[in-house]
Structure formats: structure tokens, C-alpha cells
Amino acid sequence: MQAKITLLPGDGIGPEVVAEAVKVLNAIGEKFGHTFEYTEMLAGGIAIDETGNPMPDETISACKAADAVLLGAVGGPKWSDPSAKVRPEQGLLKIRKELGLFANIRPVKIHSALADASTLKREVIENVDMVIVRELTGGLYFGEPQGRQDNAQGRAALDTMYYTEAEIGRLMRVSFDVARQRRKKVTSVDKANVLASSRLWREVAHEVAAEYPDVEYEDVLVDACSMYFVRRPSDFDVVASGNMFGDILSDEASMLTGSMGMLPSASLAEGKFGLYEPIHGSAPDIAGQGIANPLATILSVAMMLRTSLGLNAEADAIEKAVESVLDAGNRTPDIAESGVEAISTSAMGDAVVEALG
Ligand code: NAD
């Protein structure tokens, strides 16, 4: 296979972890006889510095021309002034909208070698294996009207939570399709006891559930869900939610594993196109030190191979290589138990390449 991949390394540790993921992709290409062609483009703070725009049009065009996109991370203290006219996060919202990336998929799985890195007890988290499917281009983060509404009484502001049946339906179908590849259970999260948009969410979710009689289905209120995530997280298989609820719950779920540096994600459009990225940010506190954990980005590449390029054996090979590297005791500082000597970002990338054989 020949595949075109657009790389958006971004800021902070982004370029460091993307470099390791590319190393692993090249090793996969050699082992399985594929050619991956890369186009590297500006995104985030570095794009603001060089062009004044966090997501330049040329970057969007290069992403549209690719089979898949790999993003490192964007942002950092240099660009974090909330009153600044342009911010790196605006670039992320723009690219999601421009590429139609409506479904964010975040698997949360505990690697048994790392179960003790979690702040929760091993017996609570050791069988956790869930996927959060979050709606990414609608809901509270995009609804209009939005903005300041200062009036005679004082300062005021407004956001709008708006969902259409089409947006809810396609997100639920992705969730059920993912569940069919797994343990066949979908939990839909809403706040239907209070919000009109959630009552529509639940109505449409039930209609889609009826199309998938082989998949178990349940509704859970978002407040209860956040509680169940720490009480009985291993009961969940696929968790489907709107944009804001999913944003919050997916961060909560990621902390079950104890490290931001381990978790991949995919943001999918209709069809097979997707943008893949680690869930962590640009980690400015450790950028440039060569100690960032590249495994989340390497596992994001595995998701890319499976979902956008249809290369299942290749994706399995990366996931198995990561497991074996961890089982052999390789640790970057973020996941190192006390007393264990940690290895560098590039040594971790090399270890995965070596484990691929
Ligand atoms: P962060 O995820 O960058 O870092 C949180 C903590 O986790 C830090 O202590 C960091 O050192 C550690 N960490 C994160 N990834 C790691 C890795 N791969 N290896 C080892 N340690 C790792 O979150 P933050 O500090 O809240 O945000 C920093 C910047 O990143 C902000 O500007 C934020 O807006 C941005 N951000 C970007 C994205 C994205 O690009 N999608 C996501 C989240 C945050």
C-alpha cells in the first residue's frame, strides 16, 4: 500500500513524540511492504508565530489531500493569554470543523504492567477496557448564539447547546459499530432530566439502538456516569456522549490509567478519513528534554493503520510491540516506578521498533 500522511507536529513535546511515531510507521512499512509518504505542516503556536494563523489554509488543504493526519499537540504558555486574538486551540476547533471530524474515539485500557501507576486501587481498574465516543463538531462548543451579553444589570454571557437528530444519529451509529467489534454494549450519556437537547439525544439514541438488537444498550445521566467511572469502570464497553460531557468524562477516564502519555485517540469523519493524536497536550514543563512518553502517539498510529488504512495486522503488531516493551520493563519517567531507571523518548521509540522485529 502507498498512503499519504500529513504530519502536524505542533508545539512542545508534539514534534518529539511524532518523530518516534514516524520511526515506528517506517518500521511497519519495511516489515509489511508499505510506503508512507509524509507531508509536514504548521499547526498551533508555531503556526501563529510563522503565519499569524493557528491553522493556515495550506495546512487544511494538505490534510484534505491525505489519507490520514497525525497530530502531536498544540499550545503552550507563550500563546495562552486568554485575551489574545488568536490562540492555538482555535486551530483545533477549525480543523475539526473543516475536516468534518465529528466523532472522537478514545480507547482507555489498562496495561497490566502499569496498573499500579493509577491513583485507584488495582482491583478497581485492572480490567478497564472501554472506548469513549464523543461528538466533536456540535453541542455546546459550537452552538449559536454564543458570546457576551452584557446588559443594564451587569456582565452576562451565553452559550447554546444545540443538537440535530442527524448529528446525534451518526454519532450513535459510530458508537454501535465500534461496540460490534468489541463486547457489544453501548452506554449513552446525557442529562435528559434537565436539558431539552439531552431529551432529543435520548430519543434518537433509542431509535438507533433499535437498529442494533445484538448490542446491549443503556442510558446513564452524566453525573451518575462520572461517579460510576471511579466506582466500577470495568463495567463499561462503549460510552457515547455529546461534546462537552465527553470532553469531561474522557479526561476523567484517562486518569484511570495513571498516565496521559499512554492514551491514543482518533477523530473520524464520514468514511475512513481520520485525524489521530495522543490525548495529552504539549507538556511545556518537559518539552525539549527528551523524556516525553511517545507511546500514546505510537498507539495513535496503530489506530490510524486499522481505521483509516484498513491495515489490521500492522495495527495489532504495534499494539503487541508496545505491550512487550512495557512487560520488559521499559519506562519513560512519567510511568517509571520509584527506583526504576527511566529511558528517553527516542529510546522508547527504538524499543518499540526493535520489538516489531
Ligand atoms: P498536558 O497534557 O500537556 O500535560 C499535563 C501533565 O502531563 C504535565 O505534567 C505533562 O508533563 C504530563 N504529560 C503529558 N503528556 C506527557 C507525555 N507524553 N509524557 C510524559 N508526560 C506527559 O496538559 P496541560 O499542561 O494542561 O497543557 C499544556 C498545553 O497543551 C496547553 O497549552 C494546552 O492548551 C495544550 N493542550 C493541547 C491539546 C491538544 O493539542 N490536543 C490537548 C490538551 C492540552
Side-chain angles (χ1 to χ4, degrees):
M1 159 179 282
Q2 288 209 321
K4 283 191 198 154
I5 297 167
T6 294
L7 302 175
L8 310 179
D11 308 313
I13 62 168
E16 301 169 41
V17 293
V18 166
E20 298 312 310
V22 167
K23 223 187 235 178
V24 171
L25 261 178
N26 287 337
I28 286 285
E30 257 175 52
K31 187 175 157 76
F32 290 87
H34 306 303
T35 310
F36 301 115
E37 190 187 307
Y38 308 105
T39 309
E40 191 171 314
M41 302 299 291
L42 293 172
I46 188 173
I48 294 178
D49 287 352
E50 296 201 11
T51 70
N53 180 346
M55 201 57 71
D57 291 346
E58 306 82 70
T59 297
I60 305 239
S61 305
C63 292
K64 286 183 176 164
D67 296 301
V69 179
L70 180 66
L71 173 79
V74 301
K78 185 176 173 194
W79 309 279
S80 64
D81 176 357
S83 62
K85 282 222 169 63
V86 281
R87 285 175 288 111
E89 294 73 15
Q90 293 166 332
L92 286 182
L93 292 185
K94 181 171 166 195
I95 200 167
R96 286 173 191 162
K97 204 71 181 172
E98 288 275 343
L99 300 180
L101 303 171
F102 70 93
N104 180 245
I105 318 271
R106 275 196 193 186
V108 178
K109 193 172 172 185
I110 307 290
H111 296 268
S112 64
L114 300 180
D116 295 322
S118 174
T119 49
L120 297 189
K121 293 186 189 118
R122 178 181 269 272
E123 62 264 31
V124 175
I125 49 116
E126 72 185 341
N127 295 315
V128 168
D129 180 4
M130 68 167 109
V131 174
I132 301 196
V133 183
R134 166 190 166 196
E135 202 288 325
L136 208 54
T137 52
L140 197 62
Y141 296 177
F142 289 94
E144 297 282 350
Q146 189 223 43
R148 285 293 282 258
Q149 306 256 314
D150 297 358
N151 56 36
Q153 277 72 49
R155 287 172 294 172
L158 172 79
D159 294 286
T160 300
M161 191 135 157
Y162 176 80
Y163 269 119
T164 64
E165 62 174 311
E167 288 171 320
I168 302 166
R170 67 181 180 174
L171 192 277
M172 291 311 302
R173 282 189 187 88
V174 169
S175 308
F176 278 94
D177 288 340
V178 171
R180 271 195 174 151
Q181 311 296 319
R182 296 174 43 90
R183 300 197 307 279
K184 293 196 167 78
K185 182 177 172 192
V186 170
T187 302
S188 172
V189 179
D190 62 38
K191 187 71 183 168
N193 53 344
V194 177
L195 300 174
S197 56
S198 277
R199 285 191 286 277
L200 176 66
W201 183 280
R202 194 174 279 207
E203 198 176 306
V204 176
H206 281 223
E207 288 160 13
V208 176
E211 297 168 21
Y212 293 81
D214 53 318
V215 180
E216 194 186 330
Y217 175 83
E218 64 178 355
D219 302 300
V220 175
L221 293 171
V222 62
D223 40 349
C225 190
S226 73
M227 192 172 70
Y228 298 148
F229 270 16
V230 286
R231 202 171 76 190
R232 47 174 184 84
S234 55
D235 285 358
F236 293 94
D237 180 17
V238 174
V239 179
S241 79
N243 204 342
M244 181 187 60
F245 297 156
D247 190 6
I248 298 167
L249 288 176
S250 56
D251 267 21
E252 183 190 6
S254 69
M255 274 297 98
L256 299 171
T257 68
S259 173
M260 303 280 274
M262 294 298 305
L263 297 176
S265 79
S267 300
L268 305 179
E270 304 273 9
K272 286 162 82 180
F273 182 80
L275 178 147
Y276 299 81
E277 60 177 315
I279 67 148
H280 60 71
S282 59
D285 53 336
I286 58 165
Q289 298 176 32
I291 56 168
N293 185 345
L295 293 178
T297 315
I298 290 170
L299 290 167
S300 300
V301 156
M303 290 184 83
M304 172 194 289
L305 293 174
R306 183 178 290 118
T307 309
S308 284
L309 305 180
L311 301 175
N312 292 323
E314 291 80 345
D316 290 348
I318 293 179
E319 286 163 359
K320 280 205 190 87
V322 167
E323 283 288 345
S324 75
V325 158
L326 292 172
D327 288 344
N330 294 289
R331 301 283 187 272
T332 42
D334 58 310
I335 52 172
E337 302 85 351
S338 67
V340 171
E341 199 179 326
I343 62 172
S344 68
T345 308
S346 67
M348 186 60 105
D350 291 342
V352 175
V353 167
E354 201 183 317
L356 281 169

